[in-house]
Amino acid sequence: MLDLNRYVPALLVWVSNKLSSSASQLYRQKFDLGVTDWRVLAYIELYPWSTGSEVCQLIGLDKAAVSRSLTYLESMELVKSRPSGLRKIQYATTEAGHRMYLTVLDTALAREEALLTDFSAEERELLIRFLHRLLNNLPAVENAGKSQSEEDRNR
């Protein structure tokens, strides 16, 4: 029997969805950015002259969502683009984009601090290490699902 209060994938999704939903509302109100826009802007600020594909690979967002976000950020003059080879476009933040990044960052870090209320410094480090281990285990999770499907077909 599945106990949703102890099923780690469900708990992770719940935390992620609730964080994203409240961030999206707040960021839209305060900064005229959705949470996807913020994630893309932050990535481009940290990794200037990246492509949309690189954004997708690292943060796991859908290509269409990243493309829409980059178009929006460019229309707001928060990012600039340059061609790079065949059909590749690279992006970097503008000065306005850098200022927006710093402004939203204050709010994002305040939200993180609120989320981690009552966690000791050691617990925070452990949580970060555990989350990185989960990220590293994702390829095995994908393979586990494939193996199960193959077993089902062989029955």
Side-chain angles (χ1 to χ4, degrees):
M1 181 117 183
L2 183 64
D3 180 355
L4 290 177
N5 289 313
R6 300 197 51 78
Y7 184 58
V8 173
L11 293 170
L12 289 170
V13 167
W14 293 343
V15 169
S16 176
N17 286 348
K18 289 176 185 258
L19 277 173
S20 291
S21 177
S22 64
S24 199
Q25 286 179 330
L26 179 65
Y27 296 169
R28 185 73 60 205
Q29 281 177 343
K30 286 182 77 170
F31 312 113
D32 203 22
L33 296 175
V35 72
T36 300
D37 302 323
W38 161 241
R39 290 173 181 165
V40 172
L41 179 67
Y43 182 94
I44 297 298
E45 173 69 20
L46 297 172
Y47 304 99
W49 301 116
S50 293
T51 65
S53 293
E54 291 167 332
V55 174
C56 293
Q57 285 175 345
L58 183 73
I59 57 181
L61 290 173
D62 176 68
K63 285 183 181 184
V66 169
S67 178
R68 282 190 302 273
S69 185
L70 285 167
T71 299
Y72 178 70
L73 293 170
E74 202 165 19
S75 76
M76 297 283 291
E77 298 181 356
L78 299 175
V79 299
K80 56 190 171 188
S81 63
R82 71 180 183 197
S84 173
L86 292 175
R87 298 184 345 175
K88 282 190 178 180
I89 300 172
Q90 295 175 318
Y91 297 89
T93 55
T94 61
E95 184 57 39
H98 175 71
R99 285 192 308 275
M100 178 67 80
Y101 165 80
L102 293 175
T103 301
V104 180
L105 179 63
D106 285 341
T107 300
L109 293 177
R111 288 172 50 81
E112 179 193 37
E113 188 58 34
L115 179 67
L116 298 176
T117 298
D118 296 330
F119 279 72
S120 69
E122 291 109 11
E123 290 171 325
R124 290 174 186 221
E125 282 304 313
L126 271 174
L127 176 61
I128 290 166
R129 285 188 10 224
F130 290 155
L131 290 170
H132 280 281
R133 280 172 56 189
L134 290 173
L135 283 170
N136 290 335
N137 288 342
L138 288 176
V141 172
E142 290 175 18
N143 288 335
K146 291 176 184 174
S147 298
Q148 184 65 41
S149 297
E150 289 171 12
E151 287 176 22
D152 290 344
R153 282 193 298 262
N154 291 334
R155 287 185 193 165

